[in-house]
Amino acid sequence: MLTHRRKGIGARLSDVGENGTSGSGIQLHLDATAPNALTDAEGAVITADEDSIARWLDISGNARAFSQATTNNMPVIENGVLGNVGVKFDGVNDFIESGEFYTYVDSTFFIVFKNTNTTGTETLFSDRGGNNNEQLLIRTSGNYLKMLAKDDGGNTIGEITPDSTSGIDNGVAGIIKLSASAGTPTGSVSANGTAFKDATQASYASDTAFGGNAEDPTIGARNSGDLSPANFFAGHVLEVAIWPRVLTVAEMNKLLKIASLRYGLTVSTLT
């Protein structure tokens, strides 16, 4: 019965965005509770608490797994998180990463997570930055969820922060949308259906258009390009999905409904 429920929820999530428009479908879907989703360094399926995760398989059909080759940097399994399987990051040195597969221009990110540290700044999702690369960061800051975008010179060109405390330590279905053009991103962040600022917040003028391929997307830490990973995330990630466009409000509300049914989260309706 439980396995059937998991498959049903996953199928509906993958259906979001399949509206007949070329390239509109889901590009990545990581689901820790999906059958055979988590494997060890030898490729064997793992399910027990504290098993080290070498690979988190993508079930979107696009074969974009996230992995970690160094045992000391591997997250581990924890069962029973929000009634499902959680990928547990220790906040010290755990992270997983994948290869280039999406661009900054017009994207929607859906992340279900539960953090255990509400006092510091941690990075939930990032892609490669450094001295000469653009970067997108989805971060927890204290008890908030925020998005930060940088241009290829490392300048902050967009930062979307919450207007009020979001309560992310109790479990969150976060939806982050980004529309970028001419170096000035616009977007929004919501936690369980509570929307934060939706505005252009340009702290610096970008010297080039903000848009291009994102390199080495990373879960659990800030990928700083030529520097060591930093701002490690402490908590659990249960599900991650990315679409190559801004989803409609109706589609985002569908995601929230799925999160409510599957993870027992109390959500609001986006308008």
Side-chain angles (χ1 to χ4, degrees):
M1 180 65 69
L2 183 59
T3 300
H4 175 74
R5 177 171 176 261
R6 290 170 180 169
K7 287 183 178 179
I9 292 293
R12 289 198 293 273
L13 178 59
S14 297
D15 286 344
V16 173
E18 296 291 352
N19 61 1
T21 303
S22 177
S24 67
I26 194 168
Q27 297 295 294
L28 173 76
H29 187 191
L30 304 178
D31 178 357
T33 306
N36 308 322
L38 305 173
T39 65
D40 63 16
E42 284 70 45
V45 175
I46 52 177
T47 60
D49 284 345
E50 299 301 319
D51 279 351
S52 295
I53 301 166
R55 193 172 178 85
W56 190 353
L57 300 180
D58 172 23
I59 62 171
S60 72
N62 294 313
R64 291 163 176 151
F66 277 65
S67 61
Q68 174 57 257
T70 303
T71 301
N72 192 46
N73 299 122
M74 293 178 183
V76 299
I77 290 176
E78 183 168 335
N79 291 288
V81 181
L82 300 178
N84 288 268
V85 179
V87 175
K88 181 181 178 181
F89 296 84
D90 64 4
V92 178
N93 56 14
D94 292 351
F95 68 98
I96 52 177
E97 60 186 352
S98 186
E100 176 183 310
F101 67 86
Y102 69 94
T103 68
Y104 295 116
V105 181
D106 296 340
S107 299
T108 303
F109 299 80
F110 174 71
I111 303 178
V112 179
F113 69 98
K114 187 176 187 295
N115 73 324
T116 55
N117 179 15
T118 59
T119 60
T121 297
E122 303 178 343
T123 301
L124 183 60
F125 182 96
S126 71
D127 49 55
R128 181 174 291 277
N131 293 332
N132 296 299
N133 287 301
E134 300 167 324
Q135 186 167 35
L136 173 69
L137 302 174
I138 298 172
R139 313 181 80 172
T140 61
S141 180
N143 211 29
Y144 302 130
L145 178 65
K146 66 190 294 185
M147 181 182 79
L148 183 72
K150 293 189 174 185
D151 68 10
D152 64 354
N155 299 313
T156 300
I157 57 173
E159 183 171 358
I160 299 169
T161 56
D163 292 318
S164 60
T165 301
S166 58
I168 59 178
D169 53 322
N170 295 318
V172 161
I175 299 177
I176 299 93
K177 64 178 184 178
L178 173 67
S179 179
S181 61
T184 307
T186 63
S188 71
V189 176
S190 69
N192 295 341
T194 299
F196 304 141
K197 295 177 181 178
D198 190 336
T200 300
Q201 300 181 6
S203 301
Y204 299 90
S206 177
D207 56 356
T208 61
F210 182 79
N213 293 330
E215 298 181 20
D216 300 333
T218 301
I219 298 171
R222 176 176 180 177
N223 189 328
S224 299
D226 50 347
L227 305 176
S228 299
N231 301 126
F232 292 95
F233 174 73
H236 305 84
V237 179
L238 295 91
E239 194 160 8
V240 180
I242 300 176
W243 289 262
R245 66 183 179 87
V246 176
L247 297 182
T248 66
V249 172
E251 288 170 328
M252 289 189 282
N253 281 324
K254 184 176 181 180
L255 294 179
L256 292 170
K257 182 177 181 180
I258 291 171
S260 174
L261 291 171
R262 179 170 186 178
Y263 300 107
L265 299 175
T266 300
V267 301
S268 302
T269 301
L270 289 170
T271 58

